[in-house]
Amino acid sequence: MSESTVKTTFLSLLSNIILASIKWIAGIFGNSYALIADAIESTSDIFASFMVLLGLKYSARPPDKNHPYGHGRAEPLITFLVVVFLLTSAFIIAKQSLHNIQVPHEAPKSFTLWVLAGIILWKEVCYRWVLRKSKETNSSTLQAEAWHHRADAISSVAAFIGISVALFMGEGYEAADDWAALFASGFIGYNAFLIFRPALGEIMDEQNYDELKKEIREAAVRVEGVEGTEKLFIRKIGTKYFVDLHAIVKGHLSVREGHAISHRLKDSLLDNFPLIENVLIHIEPDKI
């Protein structure tokens, strides 16, 4: 696990703690359930970020006797927990919003709009920063963390719109704040699915690495002795890739010569693709 990944997750956790505190205070004193709903979502983010940090530390453990491929599968498993936190938050927010819509109440205070404007800006900055880090480190867990920030920003936008309607439209529109919270819950649930899908694909070894496969095949045939490639499977474990490749060589070569070619091919791929952790080469004779 890189120092950059840990730092990103820690700063994300610190940001969520500060913003959740601000939202709780502003929501309670500003009489805005949309902002309180936002605070609930941010509070779940705190636990999710903490789980991400633990997951990254565990997934960074080196391979051992019982885990020859390392511990990288912990990353998508932690992502599943993040999804559970999101869905739980969405359910709580939706339930309370529906209750509030049916109960008359006062409109939110105007200062909550200024609080939300600052939160929206900050959360969008966090989203872009963490997403960039997830691409740099190839971490599905950091990608989930980034989308957490984006979900938080959009739920804050919904709260901003709802509070604005309640304030500027006046009496009879107080529930706009609660409708905004209800909309936010739906978006959070949808966002949870977007995070869940790629993590599930990683666990199931889904073959969706077409561009990487193309690059590997092109690099393989440049190695001396490799006539072509046949089967190619890639699995992503944590932030690294493990490759199974069938390489075609001249059929008249000895076992020793084929073995030497496979080692040259493996070393070449590891040198040219830093994200590849290991390559398993199977030698196939040509059909001539």
Side-chain angles (χ1 to χ4, degrees), residues 141 198 216:
T141 307
I216 289 174

Side-chain angles (χ1 to χ4, degrees), residues 124-137:
E124 184 63 21
V125 170
C126 288
Y127 161 74
R128 294 179 182 275
W129 178 60
V130 177
L131 186 64
R132 177 165 54 84
K133 291 296 182 181
S134 74
K135 292 178 179 179
E136 291 175 1
T137 59

Side-chain angles (χ1 to χ4, degrees), residues 66-138:
N66 293 324
H67 305 87
Y69 291 101
H71 299 76
R73 292 291 195 203
E75 277 216 39
L77 291 177
I78 291 299
T79 301
F80 292 156
L81 289 178
V82 171
V83 169
V84 171
F85 278 121
L86 280 172
L87 291 176
T88 302
S89 298
F91 174 77
I92 293 172
I93 292 169
K95 182 179 179 181
Q96 190 61 44
S97 297
L98 291 171
H99 171 75
N100 289 353
I101 287 171
Q102 302 174 56
V103 179
H105 56 79
E106 296 181 8
K109 305 296 183 183
S110 59
F111 76 83
T112 55
L113 288 177
W114 293 102
V115 174
L116 280 168
I119 289 172
I120 292 167
L121 179 62
W122 177 248
K123 273 297 183 178
E124 184 63 21
V125 170
C126 288
Y127 161 74
R128 294 179 182 275
W129 178 60
V130 177
L131 186 64
R132 177 165 54 84
K133 291 296 182 181
S134 74
K135 292 178 179 179
E136 291 175 1
T137 59
N138 199 36

Side-chain angles (χ1 to χ4, degrees), residues 20-40:
S21 301
I22 292 173
K23 289 177 181 179
W24 276 113
I25 294 172
I28 292 171
F29 287 98
N31 193 39
S32 169
Y33 185 70
L35 196 46
I36 292 176
D38 217 3
I40 294 173

